[in-house]
Amino acid sequence: MTPRQNRHRDRAGRGIPEATVARLPVYLRALTGLQERGVATVSSEELAAAAGVNSAKLRKDLSHLGSYGTRGVGYEVEYLVYQISRELGLTQDWVVAIIGVGNLGRALAGYGGFASRGFRVAGLLDADESIVGQEISGMTVEHTDRLEDMIAGHGVSIAVIATPAGAAQGVCDRVVAAGVTSVLNFAPVVLSVPDGVDVRKVDLSIELQILAFHEQRKAGGPDGFAPLAAADAPAGAAQYVETVEA
């Protein structure tokens, strides 16, 4: 059994909810900031405020790690950083391959936060012959024909897909067939994967649309949405609203 499989089994055995797991990186980011400022201990209220959650939720989350803090003192920042890093698997290096080296792929390749958080980018791949061979952030872009060789040769654990939508599923199928079970997807498409493969999707347009929703609510006052003028409404909208309200 691989270390990753062991970690998933241990996490399941301890019953750590997925919602808690999703918040652990947020806590770690806040703690790292405190650590960089030389803060030795932090109360649950201070850490919760820095992470943007309520203190009761934070204390419950950290209790899943066996960390309860000390009354009147709080949590030891350095030790809590270690606890969360260990739980997230960041005490060992994880090898990453970035497939798709357009503007987004280049930005990801140049991101300095990977190495400091336990991730090593082993290589960049693209199907565009005009990009293959270019030097980007100290790495030479290789052709996607070498995808399986790179995964096997470097022990890639995580594939980052930053290709156009039409190519993403084919690339995903190949990395999964090559043994990668964790995929970070930036392509604007939902990927289909077998059981046992984890996919995290990052869609900037969706995030912008959510912000637009909140902006519209704020503009509309306490009732939520501003009234839609009849001239701006799509054809048939009034009939649809009447049907729903009936």
Side-chain angles (χ1 to χ4, degrees), residues 59-113:
R59 286 192 294 269
K60 184 175 182 180
D61 286 342
L62 297 183
S63 72
H64 290 295
L65 278 63
S67 186
Y68 297 94
T70 303
R71 184 178 295 276
V73 176
Y75 296 92
E76 184 181 342
V77 171
E78 184 176 359
Y79 182 62
L80 196 50
V81 166
Y82 167 74
Q83 276 189 303
I84 295 176
S85 298
R86 180 185 62 184
E87 187 60 44
L88 291 173
L90 304 183
T91 53
Q92 57 183 309
D93 285 335
W94 296 98
V95 183
V96 176
I98 299 175
I99 306 104
V101 196
N103 291 334
L104 178 57
R106 291 167 187 262
L108 293 170
Y111 175 55

Side-chain angles (χ1 to χ4, degrees), residues 111-243:
Y111 175 55
F114 284 134
S116 64
R117 288 167 173 81
F119 301 96
R120 177 170 62 84
V121 179
L124 311 174
L125 302 104
D126 202 284
D128 188 338
E129 295 287 357
S130 67
I131 296 176
V132 173
Q134 291 185 17
E135 290 285 331
I136 297 174
S137 299
M139 292 174 283
T140 302
V141 179
E142 301 191 47
H143 198 280
T144 48
D145 288 347
R146 295 207 61 251
L147 178 58
E148 288 80 5
D149 292 338
M150 177 175 288
I151 290 172
H154 292 275
V156 172
S157 303
I158 301 171
V160 177
I161 297 178
T163 65
Q169 185 62 60
V171 167
C172 182
D173 292 342
R174 288 177 63 190
V175 300
V176 169
V180 173
T181 58
S182 293
V183 175
L184 181 60
N185 177 32
F186 284 90
V189 64
V190 176
L191 298 176
S192 175
V193 296
D195 291 341
V197 176
D198 295 316
V199 177
R200 299 288 297 181
K201 180 172 174 53
V202 181
D203 193 321
L204 300 180
S205 66
I206 287 178
E207 299 303 323
L208 287 170
Q209 289 172 52
I210 292 171
L211 288 174
F213 165 81
H214 289 296
E215 282 299 310
Q216 183 170 239
R217 285 182 62 92
K218 286 183 284 187
D223 291 333
F225 298 103
L228 184 65
D232 297 330
Q239 181 179 355
Y240 172 76
V241 171
E242 290 173 1
T243 303

Side-chain angles (χ1 to χ4, degrees), residues 2 4 17 58 74 91 229:
T2 67
R4 182 190 302 163
L58 178 137
T91 53

Side-chain angles (χ1 to χ4, degrees), residues 5-91:
Q5 289 170 327
N6 271 324
R7 189 174 74 254
H8 284 324
R9 186 183 66 177
D10 292 345
R11 189 178 71 193
R14 289 199 301 274
I16 299 180
E18 285 300 322
T20 295
V21 175
R23 286 189 290 269
L24 291 181
V26 181
Y27 301 151
L28 182 59
R29 181 176 59 192
L31 286 161
T32 301
L34 293 170
Q35 194 174 41
E36 290 172 350
R37 300 202 307 269
V39 177
T41 59
V42 62
S43 69
S44 60
E45 289 78 11
E46 292 168 332
L47 181 54
V53 302
N54 66 64
S55 58
K57 179 178 292 184
L58 178 137
R59 286 192 294 269
K60 184 175 182 180
D61 286 342
L62 297 183
S63 72
H64 290 295
L65 278 63
S67 186
Y68 297 94
T70 303
R71 184 178 295 276
V73 176
Y75 296 92
E76 184 181 342
V77 171
E78 184 176 359
Y79 182 62
L80 196 50
V81 166
Y82 167 74
Q83 276 189 303
I84 295 176
S85 298
R86 180 185 62 184
E87 187 60 44
L88 291 173
L90 304 183
T91 53

